[in-house]
């Protein structure tokens, strides 16, 4: 048994000085305990850690490659995607493990203690499955164990090249039939030290029928999908289905607290209501959304309907959680001409809310900070820096 004394700690009941926490030999929080074997004083400012609810680890290798000035006047998300495909089609399992290990180490240093890996790089470079179809998933798990971060692995189903269109050759490493996908998902779920979740790349990459069927039969805690990130994607969805993406998704599935809508940048006000009233949540990735020119998530409108949200680093162009919040806040201020992006919520409550919402997004972990029985998991900020 060990007693920790945190000099300054943000708890669910506000800021506390010299806040004691008792843990058992395995590091789990105990209700109380006398005569600890060891006492440790933790200096600095202690707050709930951040959960990174959206990551594509291999993209950490392409930071900078897509930043060459004006390759052409139409540089956009779609040309960035060409660079991403080139990297995706070159990396070996060893490369992925090395890149992911470095990324997860760097995420820990920046204050993230749990990462949700949105993993769609499944096949060998020629598009055929590896002998073990979960080869790269297992490399991600290995990277996590080396780096020491916690993981929710979200194998991603990717089948089409656009609404009603076949996949193109550049997407060959991502494509799985539904049975192979479920095999990978089930093989991961059986390893109980790893959290897993169901994931669809996007409405453009998986048919509505498949999304509907798989999510209805899924018994896990969390489901993730990229949605409404780019204007072209909204236009394509409108012309294919007659509906905006989030509206279309709500027709396909029972939107509930399991659903994590990644980006939702171009959600209409009716769609923001839809997400909030069904207790689904948005995973906002401000540095990537800015880098790719996606648009600005309407955080002020979403906060006013008390929508739940958390953050992710996505392409890893930025790794600092405080910077993510600053970009989200400032981009809203620049368009609203007000300084109330998060409505009347204090920064303390904001950090606690992002923590509990991030815990929901990664699934199967304690939702409340410092909950009895959970592992002690705290972000300590150096207050002398
Ligand atoms: Zn993404």
């Amino acid at each position: 048994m060990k007693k920790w004394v945190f000099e300054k700690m943000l708890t669910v009941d506000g800021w506390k000085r010299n806040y004691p926490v008792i843990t058992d030999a395995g590091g789990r929080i105990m209700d109380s305990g006398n005569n600890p074997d060891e006492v440790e004083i933790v200096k600095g400012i202690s707050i709930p850690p951040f959960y990174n609810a959206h990551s594509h680890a291999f993209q950490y290798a392409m930071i900078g490659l897509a930043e060459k000035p004006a390759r052409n006047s139409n540089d956009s998300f779609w040309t960035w995607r060409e660079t991403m495909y080139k990297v995706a089609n070159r990396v070996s399992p060893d490369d992925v493990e090395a890149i992911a290990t470095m990324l997860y180490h760097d995420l820990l240093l920046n204050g993230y203690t749990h990462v949700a890996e949105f993993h769609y790089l499944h096949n060998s470079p020629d598009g055929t499955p590896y002998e073990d179809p979960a080869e790269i998933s297992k490399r991600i798990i290995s990277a996590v164990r080396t780096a020491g971060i916690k993981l929710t692995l979200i194998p991603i189903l990717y089948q089409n090249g656009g609404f009603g269109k076949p996949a193109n050759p550049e997407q060959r490493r991502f494509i799985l039939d539904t049975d192979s996908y479920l095999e990978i998902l089930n093989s991961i779920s059986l390893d109980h030290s790893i959290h897993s979740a169901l994931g669809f790349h996007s409405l453009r990459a998986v048919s509505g029928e498949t999304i509907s069927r798989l999510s209805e039969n899924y018994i896990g805690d969390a489901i993730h999908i990229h949605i409404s990130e780019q204007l072209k994607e909204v236009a394509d969805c409108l012309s294919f289905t007659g509906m905006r993406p989030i509206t279309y998704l709500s027709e396909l599935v029972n939107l509930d607290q399991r659903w994590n809508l990644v980006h939702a940048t171009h959600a209409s006000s009716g769609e923001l209501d839809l997400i909030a009233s069904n207790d689904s949540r948005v995973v906002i990735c401000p540095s990537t959304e800015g880098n790719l020119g996606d648009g600005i998530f309407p955080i002020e409108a979403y906060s006013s309907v008390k929508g739940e949200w958390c953050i992710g680093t996505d392409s890893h162009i930025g790794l600092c959680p405080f910077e993510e919040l600053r970009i989200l806040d400032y981009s809203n201020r620049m368009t609203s001409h007000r300084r109330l992006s998060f409505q009347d919520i204090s920064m303390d409550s904001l950090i606690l809310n992002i923590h509990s919402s991030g815990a929901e997004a990664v699934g199967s972990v304690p939702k409340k900070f410092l909950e009895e029985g959970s592992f002690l998991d705290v972000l300590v900020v150096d207050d002398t820096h």
Side-chain angles (χ1 to χ4, degrees), residues 195-250:
H195 300 298
S196 61
L198 181 68
F200 306 103
H201 181 272
S202 53
L203 293 171
R204 63 177 190 273
V206 186
S207 76
E209 184 274 327
T210 304
I211 291 174
S212 178
R213 182 164 50 85
L214 264 56
S215 58
E216 197 171 304
N217 292 328
Y218 185 59
I219 54 166
D221 295 320
I223 309 175
H224 289 238
I225 187 170
H226 287 134
I227 199 159
S228 225
E229 177 180 8
Q230 279 281 319
L231 289 170
K232 179 180 182 307
E233 181 195 348
V234 177
D236 289 352
C237 187
L238 270 167
S239 73
F240 188 71
T241 68
M243 288 175 263
R244 298 178 69 82
I246 295 162
T247 309
Y248 176 48
L249 182 68
S250 75

Side-chain angles (χ1 to χ4, degrees), residues 341-353:
S341 302
F342 308 117
Q343 297 292 317
D344 55 358
I345 197 167
S346 70
M347 191 50 81
D348 300 346
S349 303
L350 188 73
I351 286 175
L352 287 161
N353 288 357

Side-chain angles (χ1 to χ4, degrees), residues 54 56 226 263 314:
H54 191 66
H56 308 286
H226 287 134
H263 305 303
D314 196 357

Side-chain angles (χ1 to χ4, degrees), residues 62 65-68 70-87 170 230 232 291-292:
M62 63 173 279
L65 294 181
E67 303 305 315
K68 293 173 189 161
R71 281 166 302 157
N72 66 59
S73 58
N74 296 317
D75 200 353
S76 70
F77 170 88
W78 307 99
T79 49
W80 169 90
R81 195 173 70 155
E82 298 302 316
T83 306
M84 186 270 280
Y85 285 160
K86 281 186 193 138
V87 174
E170 289 168 312
Q230 279 281 319
K232 179 180 182 307
N291 180 260
L292 295 177

Side-chain angles (χ1 to χ4, degrees), residues 26-44:
R28 286 185 190 272
I29 298 172
M30 299 166 66
D31 183 25
S32 59
N34 295 319
N35 305 320
D37 306 314
E38 193 187 347
V39 177
E40 183 171 337
I41 309 289
V42 182
K43 295 187 179 299

Side-chain angles (χ1 to χ4, degrees), residues 29 53-54 70 76 97 115 120 148 160 187 191 208 280 283 298 325 339:
I29 298 172
H54 191 66
S76 70
E97 184 172 340
V115 61
Y120 57 82
N160 304 329
S187 75
D191 180 343
S280 303
V283 181
L325 300 180
R339 307 179 74 236

Side-chain angles (χ1 to χ4, degrees), residues 141-309:
I141 293 169
S142 178
V144 157
R145 290 192 169 138
T146 307
I149 201 166
K150 290 187 268 307
L151 171 70
T152 296
L153 186 54
I154 315 169
I156 294 300
L157 185 60
Y158 197 129
Q159 298 185 318
N160 304 329
F163 287 92
K165 291 182 184 155
N168 66 52
E170 289 168 312
Q171 295 160 335
R172 63 191 178 273
R173 294 191 77 177
F174 316 155
I175 305 302
L176 292 175
D177 62 55
T178 306
D179 288 345
S180 309
Y181 171 76
L182 290 173
E183 247 172 64
I184 293 176
L185 179 64
N186 292 334
S187 75
I188 292 161
S189 307
L190 287 173
D191 180 343
H192 293 298
S193 62
I194 297 293
H195 300 298
S196 61
L198 181 68
F200 306 103
H201 181 272
S202 53
L203 293 171
R204 63 177 190 273
V206 186
S207 76
E209 184 274 327
T210 304
I211 291 174
S212 178
R213 182 164 50 85
L214 264 56
S215 58
E216 197 171 304
N217 292 328
Y218 185 59
I219 54 166
D221 295 320
I223 309 175
H224 289 238
I225 187 170
H226 287 134
I227 199 159
S228 225
E229 177 180 8
Q230 279 281 319
L231 289 170
K232 179 180 182 307
E233 181 195 348
V234 177
D236 289 352
C237 187
L238 270 167
S239 73
F240 188 71
T241 68
M243 288 175 263
R244 298 178 69 82
I246 295 162
T247 309
Y248 176 48
L249 182 68
S250 75
E251 294 284 317
L252 294 173
V253 305
N254 178 26
L255 271 188
D256 57 17
Q257 79 287 346
R258 297 190 304 169
W259 279 91
N260 297 280
L261 309 190
V262 181
H263 305 303
T265 313
H266 301 290
S268 65
S269 61
E271 288 176 323
L272 295 176
D273 278 340
L274 198 57
I275 302 166
S277 62
N278 285 295
D279 298 325
S280 303
R281 75 191 61 71
V282 178
V283 181
I284 313 173
C285 309
S287 61
T288 292
E289 288 154 11
N291 180 260
L292 295 177
D294 289 342
I296 300 171
F297 178 76
I299 188 64
E300 196 179 334
Y302 190 54
S303 297
S304 73
V305 294
K306 307 221 176 309
E308 200 182 304
W309 58 277

